[in-house]
Amino acid sequence: MDSGLNPRRSALWSVAWRTVYRVMRVLDPLVRSWVANRLPGLDGVVDVRVRGRRTGRERHALLTLLRLGDHWYLGHPNGTAGWQRNADAAGWLEIDPPAAHGPRFRAVRLAAGPERDAIIRATVVQQPFPANLLYRLSLRHVAAIGVYHRLDPIVPCAPASPAGPAHAIATDDPTTEGDR
């Protein structure tokens, strides 16, 4: 089945995306302030919180929440990111601001197919400027190695106990390398 995306991995785009994310790490405090003060231009950007798979400590990432139909999605254009590995290990992640039914979601990794292709196409429109231009230019690379998750709400049935999933991942390992 032809998706029309013509996936093709690019060494140039792999380096470019790594560079973009290094710059974003430096700009993180400014972007967080921008989002917290609800200044225009970063609509759809949310704070994703997830427990580190090795340390159990809370990790944060600013990501654009993508919408397609009635579903929400998060992704990374350049392969699997640390927040995705942590969410896969924890089985859940939280977003802020929360949804109407709560902040906690199960992140379901999308396999190659029509749903994944549709959300990759949506990134070109839904990412804020100038990220939308980068996605448009690197669309074939993103289609080849981008990793995307659908967010399925986890609706709480009862108050969480102290021994709930948020505490089950903690370990004695004091290192933080590998969580990100």
Side-chain angles (χ1 to χ4, degrees):
M1 178 170 80
D2 182 21
S3 68
L5 293 175
N6 300 320
R8 183 171 157 249
R9 185 182 183 124
S10 164
L12 175 67
W13 277 112
S14 286
V15 171
W17 279 114
R18 282 194 306 270
T19 303
V20 165
Y21 280 97
R22 283 189 182 113
V23 170
M24 288 305 299
R25 206 173 300 143
V26 172
L27 296 175
D28 187 76
L30 177 65
V31 175
R32 283 186 185 282
S33 174
W34 193 295
V35 170
N37 290 307
R38 298 180 188 197
L39 297 174
L42 293 179
D43 297 332
V45 174
V46 295
D47 184 21
V48 174
R49 295 183 307 265
V50 64
R51 295 281 172 199
R53 64 192 175 284
R54 295 183 185 176
T55 65
R57 295 196 316 201
E58 189 172 83
R59 301 291 179 193
H60 293 261
L62 288 176
L63 302 169
T64 302
L65 186 63
L66 304 167
R67 291 177 176 89
L68 190 61
D70 293 334
H71 297 286
W72 287 356
Y73 298 85
L74 294 171
H76 193 275
N78 206 30
T80 305
W83 68 265
Q84 291 171 315
R85 288 187 289 273
N86 289 336
D88 289 343
W92 57 270
L93 56 77
E94 291 181 341
I95 63 168
D96 186 32
H101 46 71
R104 193 167 283 201
F105 293 85
R106 182 171 298 105
V108 179
R109 188 178 290 243
L110 299 180
E115 183 179 21
R116 181 177 174 275
D117 292 346
I119 200 60
I120 289 171
R121 281 189 193 92
T123 61
V124 173
V125 177
Q126 295 183 27
Q127 287 289 342
F129 178 83
N132 60 348
L133 297 177
L134 292 173
Y135 276 93
R136 182 178 304 277
L137 293 170
S138 66
L139 191 62
R140 293 175 65 189
H141 174 76
V142 174
I145 68 167
V147 177
Y148 288 82
H149 287 79
R150 182 183 60 247
L151 301 183
D152 292 340
I154 298 175
V155 181
C157 297
S161 70
H167 301 285
I169 299 169
T171 67
D172 293 330
D173 181 4
T175 63
T176 59
E177 193 62 37
D179 272 350
R180 296 183 189 232

